[in-house]
Amino acid sequence: MAQGCLKCLKYTMCFANFLCFLCGVAVLGFGVFMMVNFRITALTPTLASFNSANMLLISGIVITCVSFLGFLGALKENRCLLLTFFLLLFLLMLVELTAACLLLMYEGEIGTMVKEDLTKGLETAKGKTGNSTELTSEWDLIQEKLNCCGINNVTDWGDKVPESCCLKNCNSPAVQYRPKGCLITLQNLIEDNFLTTGVSVIVLCIIEVLGMCFAMTLFCHISRSGLGYKL
């Protein structure tokens, strides 16, 4: 009975890690695609290295490597791989919890930093003339998707207001611009999705704890079986 349960646990762990591996490959591929086709430099020049493409690329690499270790360790019943898988999951959970705590503790400072960086990006987009279309395309995308204009309002653009700020009567003297700035819109969007983000982090931590429990259970079973050569 116990052997059957352990075998079921082993193949369940293999299947779960194989699915995570496929998801990691998909995220990695999507990150590479975004990095090649989308360049977010004019919007946030200082935070350009932390854009979504880089984050997806790093997340895909981490998910792929960790899930591969878990899959191979469970399939081969290798104690070294299982222990490495356990430690990596533990470190990832610590990093996630630390990042969540830092975001809560330094929420004001992060908001100020993002505002300053957006200001630099907007000034860069306004100051360029040769590639103005390319540089403002990122702002156009954000302003159209979030229904906002500038950082605080349309006055941030001065006399170079892009068409994406227009709401009504774009080609008439009575033109109407989008009333809200992108900064407050982004803040409201984050606040509206705060609960969803928190629940996602909790679910992710629960999955990681289950993965650690499965890995340690198999590790202890292999140790009791006397398979010392697999260390």
Side-chain angles (χ1 to χ4, degrees):
M1 180 66 179
Q3 291 293 330
C5 292
L6 287 170
K7 186 174 292 187
C8 179
L9 179 63
K10 168 185 172 179
Y11 289 112
T12 300
M13 188 174 173
C14 288
F15 179 73
N17 279 284
F18 180 71
L19 289 180
C20 291
F21 178 81
L22 294 179
C23 292
V25 171
V27 171
L28 179 60
F30 188 60
V32 172
F33 173 79
M34 289 191 63
M35 183 172 291
V36 172
N37 293 277
F38 299 96
R39 295 169 54 197
I40 307 299
T41 55
L43 188 64
T44 54
T46 304
L47 301 178
S49 59
F50 297 97
N51 58 42
S52 56
N54 290 339
M55 294 297 101
L56 287 173
L57 192 66
I58 295 173
S59 300
I61 293 173
V62 171
I63 294 172
T64 302
C65 293
V66 174
S67 58
F68 179 76
L69 283 175
F71 173 81
L72 194 61
L75 184 65
K76 298 295 185 180
E77 297 186 5
N78 188 298
R79 287 194 294 167
C80 182
L81 293 178
L82 288 173
L83 185 59
T84 304
F85 176 72
F86 174 87
L87 292 175
L88 287 177
L89 281 183
F90 182 71
L91 289 176
L92 282 175
M93 188 172 64
L94 287 182
V95 170
E96 292 164 4
L97 294 177
T98 302
C101 292
L102 290 176
L103 286 174
L104 291 175
M105 291 174 59
Y106 298 100
E107 181 179 359
E109 289 81 353
I110 293 174
T112 302
M113 182 178 65
V114 171
K115 182 177 180 180
E116 293 175 352
D117 206 52
L118 285 173
T119 303
K120 293 179 182 178
L122 188 139
E123 293 298 327
T124 302
K126 289 196 301 182
K128 299 293 183 179
T129 56
N131 291 327
S132 58
T133 302
E134 178 182 352
L135 288 171
T136 56
S137 61
E138 298 162 7
W139 279 96
D140 291 336
L141 178 63
I142 293 296
Q143 290 175 156
E144 290 174 357
K145 294 296 182 182
L146 298 182
N147 191 24
C148 61
C149 181
I151 299 173
N152 299 302
N153 49 53
V154 67
T155 59
D156 294 327
W157 285 103
D159 57 349
K160 297 182 179 180
V161 181
E163 294 182 0
S164 58
C165 279
C166 179
L167 187 61
K168 292 181 180 179
N169 305 322
C170 298
N171 297 319
S172 68
V175 58
Q176 295 184 16
Y177 295 111
R178 304 180 193 275
K180 292 184 179 181
C182 293
L183 181 62
I184 187 65
T185 304
L186 285 171
Q187 290 175 344
N188 293 335
L189 183 65
I190 292 173
E191 291 175 359
D192 292 341
N193 292 278
F194 185 79
L195 179 61
T196 304
T197 304
V199 171
S200 300
V201 172
I202 293 173
V203 170
L204 184 60
C205 289
I206 292 174
I207 293 174
E208 290 171 345
V209 170
L210 289 175
M212 288 189 291
C213 292
F214 287 0
M216 191 52 59
T217 301
L218 287 175
F219 179 86
C220 294
H221 166 68
I222 296 169
S223 299
R224 286 195 301 267
S225 300
L227 300 177
Y229 67 91
K230 289 193 175 184
L231 180 59

